[in-house]
Amino acid sequence: MQAPRSLSWPVALAALALAGPARADEHPIALQTPTGTLNGTLHLPQDTKPAAVVLIVAGSGPTDRDGNNPLAGRNDSLKMLAQALARSGYASVRYDKRGIGQSGAAGGDESALRLDTYVDDAAAWVDKLNASGRYPAVAVAGHSEGALIGMLAAQRGKVASFISLAGSADGLGALLRKQLASQLPPDLAVANERVLQSLEQGKPTADVPAPLLSLYRPSVQPYLISSLRYQPARELGKLNVPVLLVQGTTDIQVGVEQARALQAAKPDACLAIIPGMNHLLKEVAADLPAQQRSYGDPALPLHGELPATLAGFLRKPCQPPGKVTAG
């Protein structure tokens, strides 16, 4: 693998991407599905025709279109992302996934939800945007678990490019083992491994200790089974469109090694490692108190290097070998 080379286009475009306050128009947009309406926001740049439209796919859990999660707090990261894209001349659509926010009525029973349901929805949004005839191109940007959803949707539809924001290369099984390794006492660690192995084999289990029920309750096991069968690195390698992998060095949820593993699976992907950027795409120190505060601070802006990095890629997707590093 070649050594990373300098990322020049973010520097050249930084003034354009970051200049002035966001001047844009927001409009409601909806996607009709067989099981209900998904509601979102169309964010248009003002005084200019969009160079493209970016579908923004939010991360896991009850995270809404703006990047906010009621379990963690309001940070407005994805709303800020849409504003940054508009400043650079790009339209965007961000939406509440089914069962979340204004798409709550489309959620249905939790036991019926699958990761593939979210993928179907994202692919339908791509089709809707292409069918509108309003945009020269449609790109997909997925954040965290949304990166997996976005790349699977990008495999199906007419997509000009794909952007992974703090996406993992490892599958859900590896992530759960890593995250829980230091949190569970020995007896629960053994039980966790037993439950996880059963789900990885596609077998629901009723034998779940009470302390683990919030994670492995029976109604969520079908979703976990559907997600456990995907390995993001393998799925990324199937894409035949330009790819940008964006990862921050102070992300305490997804490490830089995950972005490098994704690039190893798709060597022509462009890799942008942004110093000091955390999982919320903001400039935050690596210490835990600062990280925790950022999840409930909507006044904290996006990392200064991110908008230009995205704008540069969207204007001129990197070509092979594509091994570049921001910062």
Side-chain angles (χ1 to χ4, degrees):
M1 182 178 293
Q2 293 185 359
R5 56 188 171 88
S6 173
L7 186 63
S8 59
W9 34 258
V11 176
L13 293 167
L16 175 63
L18 298 175
R23 297 186 64 215
D25 295 321
E26 284 196 341
H27 307 274
I29 186 171
L31 176 71
Q32 304 301 325
T33 80
T35 54
T37 302
L38 304 185
N39 292 286
T41 300
L42 170 64
H43 202 117
L44 294 170
Q46 198 172 73
D47 304 327
T48 184
K49 183 178 179 180
V53 61
V54 181
L55 178 69
I56 300 173
V57 186
S60 62
T63 304
D64 68 13
R65 73 185 82 176
D66 291 338
N68 299 325
N69 186 318
L71 302 178
R74 178 186 165 202
N75 62 81
D76 283 348
S77 56
L78 299 185
K79 181 177 181 178
M80 294 178 187
L81 181 64
Q83 293 170 343
L85 289 168
R87 282 194 291 268
S88 299
Y90 292 91
S92 66
V93 168
R94 62 191 195 276
Y95 63 98
D96 293 334
K97 292 185 295 183
R98 60 178 60 244
I100 298 168
Q102 293 183 3
S103 301
D109 187 82
E110 183 179 65
S111 64
L113 184 64
R114 306 289 186 274
L115 181 79
D116 306 272
T117 312
Y118 288 149
V119 176
D120 290 343
D121 292 339
W125 278 110
V126 169
D127 291 343
K128 178 183 177 73
L129 295 173
N130 277 313
S132 73
R134 298 180 63 184
Y135 312 104
V138 177
V140 175
H143 177 248
S144 195
E145 185 189 54
L148 173 58
I149 295 168
M151 72 178 69
L152 292 170
Q155 291 175 9
R156 301 186 189 179
K158 183 182 177 183
V159 171
S161 58
F162 171 70
I163 299 170
S164 170
L165 300 166
S168 174
D170 291 338
L172 178 61
L175 291 177
L176 287 174
R177 288 183 173 95
K178 185 181 300 183
Q179 291 176 2
L180 296 175
S182 61
Q183 301 182 32
L184 299 178
D187 58 332
L188 281 182
V190 171
N192 179 73
E193 183 61 25
R194 173 179 49 75
V195 172
L196 196 49
Q197 286 187 17
S198 178
L199 298 179
E200 286 176 327
Q201 295 167 15
K203 302 174 182 177
T205 176
D207 188 12
V208 179
L212 297 178
L213 275 175
S214 62
L215 179 60
Y216 298 122
R217 60 190 178 278
S219 60
V220 83
Q221 288 186 26
Y223 181 86
L224 295 174
I225 289 172
S226 73
S227 184
L228 283 163
R229 67 189 183 93
Y230 287 111
Q231 296 294 325
R234 182 169 61 236
E235 298 303 328
L236 184 71
K238 297 177 183 178
L239 289 181
N240 57 6
V241 298
V243 170
L244 172 64
L245 308 170
V246 181
Q247 183 60 52
T249 61
T250 57
D251 186 333
I252 61 173
Q253 293 184 237
V254 178
V256 169
E257 76 283 354
Q258 294 294 312
R260 296 198 184 281
L262 284 172
Q263 191 187 46
K266 187 169 176 58
D268 62 349
C270 183
L271 174 62
I273 297 175
I274 300 181
M277 188 176 77
N278 79 343
H279 195 66
L280 298 180
L281 313 177
K282 301 185 177 188
E283 187 166 6
V284 181
D287 68 280
L288 188 58
Q291 293 280 339
Q292 291 174 333
R293 287 194 300 271
S294 72
Y295 279 75
D297 185 0
L300 186 66
L302 293 181
H303 192 289
E305 292 185 20
L306 180 62
T309 299
L310 300 181
F313 172 77
L314 289 167
R315 284 192 174 86
K316 187 178 180 181
C318 59
Q319 302 298 322
K323 301 174 180 66
V324 296
T325 302

